[in-house]
């Protein structure tokens, strides 16, 4: 299935490689570097790169490229899912998944990859099972391993959940305070044309959970409007037949953090756009131009729009920009030609704006097109699709847990053409 994995940083260094079936020389990555050189952004590299004898399937996360090598026809989504799951597991173990973190915990990373795949096929991908097999690093264990020269991170016994029909949950879980938290997170991917008309808008949604419940609880989660969800993907703990027949999520949850489900709402359903830009960007013959952008909330159901950031990639002919923001701070990178405006929170009484002049290279041709503005924002306590949790019920245990639901809407790939 998966022969090898190469982890590559932004400088093009292969700083970690793992082989399961046979050793494949890292010169195979030359095909990846060739595709990388043709892409404008790291995210634009084709996820599947065919070579004469192999396929390279890759993802880009946390400024790292994870490149899996396969030699036979395999479902590419299976490999992509494995790569994303591996990143999630590293983040759970080490708090983040960066080059320095992976290098610091080199041994544990290799031990985890050994348990995740057996001869290239998935074996243990559940975080609860892995944490019983390989203990997460802590300060005391690191000192002990350094002094004794032995690794104490590998467990001596097989995980209890591995032998049951619920492998994602370990047995004998006990908590003093029993809690269940659900985060409904929705990301808006949208393209808005220069007249303010929505070209395309989609919602990628997730329900992330933090479950700290004793024993073996059986939960049911119901929604007020489950018909909104047409394209869904579930954690293996969800009983799919119950969802199909009643639109109820019934499951025995894993212990700790996990993603219960993800869903996609396409542009057939009207997606509310919570932010609107008034913009006037012009380039004149000679060496000057004007820049004027105002941000205003729209369809936010009275909620405050926070953490607003605008990124404007200017054409290469631009030398500098001299702007005055009414709120927040801006910076301009003269090499990448990228202007970043950190707006912060939007006050509806005084809409934030930024205006000023653009300096062009003398004698340079007037740019043919205006830049596309990328917008980032967060809206707390709002799910833009209108999805709402109705109730959470627990069976199989007698205690009453504390339950909490939080809604967050944020920008995914949100672009405004000017």
């Amino acid at each position: 299935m998966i022969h090898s994995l190469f982890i590559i940083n932004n400088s093009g260094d292969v700083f970690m490689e793992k082989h399961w079936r046979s050793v494949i020389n890292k010169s195979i990555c030359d095909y990846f570097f060739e595709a990388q050189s043709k892409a404008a952004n790291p995210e634009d590299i084709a996820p599947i790169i065919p070579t004469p004898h192999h396929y390279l399937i890759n993802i880009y996360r946390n400024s790292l490229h994870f490149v899996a090598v396969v030699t036979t026809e395999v479902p590419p989504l299976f490999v992509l899912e494995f790569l994303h799951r591996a990143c999630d597991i590293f983040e759970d173990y080490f708090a983040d998944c960066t080059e320095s973190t992976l290098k610091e915990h080199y041994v544990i990373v290799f031990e985890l990859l050994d348990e995740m795949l057996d001869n290239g096929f998935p074996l243990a991908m559940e975080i609860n099972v892995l944490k019983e097999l390989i203990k997460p690093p802590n300060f005391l264990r690191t000192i002990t391993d350094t002094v004794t020269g032995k690794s104490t991170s590998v467990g001596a016994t097989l995980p209890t959940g591995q032998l049951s029909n619920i492998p994602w949950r370990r047995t004998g879980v006990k908590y003093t305070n029993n809690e269940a938290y659900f985060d409904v997170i929705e990301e808006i991917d949208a393209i808005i044309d220069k007249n303010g008309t929505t070209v395309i808008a989609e919602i990628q949604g997730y329900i992330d959970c933090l479950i700290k419940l004793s024993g073996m609880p059986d939960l049911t989660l119901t929604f007020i409007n489950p018909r909104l969800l047409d394209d869904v993907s579930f954690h293996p703990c969800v009983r799919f037949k119950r969802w199909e027949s009643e639109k109820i999520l019934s499951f025995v949850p894993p212990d700790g953090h996990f993603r219960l489900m993800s869903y996609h709402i396409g542009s057939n359903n009207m997606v509310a756009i919570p932010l609107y830009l008034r913009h006037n960007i012009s380039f004149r013959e000679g060496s000057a131009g004007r820049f004027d952008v105002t941000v205003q909330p729209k369809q936010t159901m009275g909620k405050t729009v926070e953490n607003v950031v605008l990124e404007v990639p200017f054409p290469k002919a631009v030398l500098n920009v001299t702007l005055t923001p009414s709120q927040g701070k801006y910076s301009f990178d003269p090499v990448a030609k990228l202007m970043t405006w950190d707006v912060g929170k939007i006050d509806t009484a005084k809409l934030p704006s930024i205006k000023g002049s653009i300096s062009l290279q003398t004698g340079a041709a007037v740019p043919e097109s205006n830049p596309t503005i990328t917008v980032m924002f967060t809206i707390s306590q709002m799910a833009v699709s209108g999805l709402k949790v109705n109730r959470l019920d627990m069976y199989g245990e007698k205690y009453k847990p504390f339950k909490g639901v939080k809604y967050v809407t944020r920008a995914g790939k949100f672009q405004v053409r000017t």
Side-chain angles (χ1 to χ4, degrees):
M1 192 67 84
I2 297 176
H3 267 64
S4 303
L5 172 66
F6 297 96
I7 306 179
I8 305 169
N9 61 19
N10 271 340
S11 306
D13 299 325
V14 182
F15 69 89
M16 190 175 287
E17 56 185 274
K18 169 70 181 160
H19 307 280
W20 284 277
R21 308 189 76 167
S22 57
V23 176
I24 294 175
N25 195 292
K26 64 181 175 185
S27 61
I28 191 72
C29 295
D30 291 345
Y31 293 99
F32 171 78
F33 295 136
E34 185 183 343
Q36 185 184 30
S37 65
K38 294 175 183 174
N41 299 304
E43 295 89 350
D44 297 336
I45 299 171
I48 303 164
I49 302 168
T51 74
H53 303 291
H54 307 83
Y55 291 98
L56 306 184
I57 301 177
N58 70 90
I59 65 168
Y60 180 72
R61 275 182 58 168
N62 301 342
S63 302
L64 296 175
H65 298 277
F66 293 79
V67 183
V69 182
V70 298
T71 58
T72 55
E73 285 281 352
V74 298
L77 287 177
F78 154 76
V79 183
L80 292 170
E81 176 65 21
F82 164 75
L83 294 174
H84 280 294
R85 188 74 67 87
C87 290
D88 293 339
I89 288 167
F90 295 152
E91 286 174 353
D92 197 292
Y93 262 75
F94 314 128
D96 61 0
C97 179
T98 60
E99 181 182 358
S100 58
T101 308
L102 295 183
K103 282 181 175 177
E104 184 184 344
H105 303 289
Y106 215 95
V107 174
I108 294 179
V109 170
F110 264 75
E111 289 171 344
L112 285 170
L113 291 172
D114 264 331
E115 296 298 339
M116 286 184 212
L117 292 187
D118 180 24
N119 198 33
F121 290 85
L123 178 65
M125 299 299 297
E126 277 299 327
I127 193 71
N128 284 288
V129 171
L130 286 168
K131 281 186 175 177
E132 284 192 72
L133 282 167
I134 298 157
K135 298 178 180 66
N138 62 35
F139 184 67
L140 187 61
R141 190 175 297 120
T142 304
I143 292 175
T144 307
D145 290 357
T146 306
V147 172
T148 61
K150 296 177 183 177
S151 176
T152 58
S153 61
V154 180
T157 57
L158 194 68
T160 49
Q162 188 82 321
L163 302 174
S164 75
N165 61 349
I166 308 174
W168 52 82
R169 186 172 181 87
R170 58 194 176 93
T171 56
V173 181
K174 287 184 181 177
Y175 286 104
T176 308
N177 298 317
N178 292 286
E179 304 164 323
Y181 298 103
F182 295 84
D183 290 352
V184 180
I185 302 164
E186 294 191 339
E187 296 182 349
I188 303 175
D189 295 337
I191 297 175
I192 315 296
D193 70 11
K194 61 182 180 182
N195 300 317
T197 309
T198 304
V199 177
I200 187 168
E202 298 177 335
I203 295 171
Q204 310 289 344
Y206 317 97
I207 298 182
D208 288 340
C209 309
L210 173 58
I211 305 293
K212 294 183 176 181
L213 299 176
S214 305
M216 195 64 74
D218 198 324
L219 305 180
T220 58
L221 186 71
T222 58
F223 300 99
I224 291 174
N225 41 7
R227 301 290 167 190
L228 283 170
L229 308 173
D230 54 353
D231 185 0
V232 290
S233 169
F234 296 112
H235 188 278
C237 68
V238 175
R239 299 180 179 99
F240 187 60
K241 283 190 177 177
R242 181 108 188 252
W243 170 261
E244 277 194 308
S245 58
E246 303 174 52
K247 296 296 181 191
I248 290 174
L249 290 180
S250 172
F251 57 99
V252 175
D255 183 42
H257 287 278
F258 70 100
R259 177 158 290 174
L260 180 64
M261 67 177 286
S262 55
Y263 57 90
H264 171 260
I265 298 174
S267 50
N268 296 340
N269 310 56
M270 293 298 287
V271 177
I273 303 297
L275 213 62
Y276 177 71
L277 297 189
R278 285 206 313 267
H279 49 79
N280 181 18
I281 303 172
S282 60
F283 299 104
R284 294 194 302 274
E285 287 287 347
S287 60
R290 290 292 302 166
F291 185 91
D292 187 350
V293 173
T294 303
V295 187
Q296 61 185 75
K298 167 189 171 188
Q299 296 176 306
T300 60
M301 303 178 199
K303 307 294 182 185
T304 306
V305 186
E306 302 172 307
N307 306 324
V308 179
V309 177
L310 270 64
E311 288 186 350
V312 186
F314 282 101
K316 287 188 168 56
V318 172
L319 276 179
N320 200 1
V321 292
T322 307
L323 306 173
T324 306
S326 66
Q327 176 182 328
K329 291 189 262 183
Y330 85 94
S331 62
F332 180 72
D333 184 344
V335 178
K337 310 294 183 187
L338 182 71
M339 191 278 286
T340 304
W341 178 27
D342 190 345
V343 183
K345 188 188 293 187
I346 294 182
D347 181 5
T348 49
K350 186 184 178 186
L351 297 177
S353 65
I354 186 169
K355 57 182 70 176
S357 60
I358 303 168
S359 304
L360 298 174
Q361 294 173 6
T362 308
V366 175
E368 294 178 0
S369 59
N370 283 350
T372 299
I373 301 174
T374 301
V375 186
M376 288 160 273
F377 57 83
T378 304
I379 306 172
S380 298
Q381 294 308 317
M382 172 182 141
V384 73
S385 66
L387 183 70
K388 283 241 175 9
V389 172
N390 182 24
R391 60 182 294 167
L392 175 73
D393 297 307
M394 186 181 77
Y395 306 95
E397 299 291 340
K398 293 182 179 177
Y399 55 82
K400 285 191 175 179
F402 178 81
K403 299 172 277 192
V405 179
K406 183 174 76 175
Y407 300 91
V408 177
T409 295
R410 60 191 185 205
K413 291 185 177 177
F414 194 99
Q415 296 184 333
V416 181
R417 294 170 179 169
T418 62

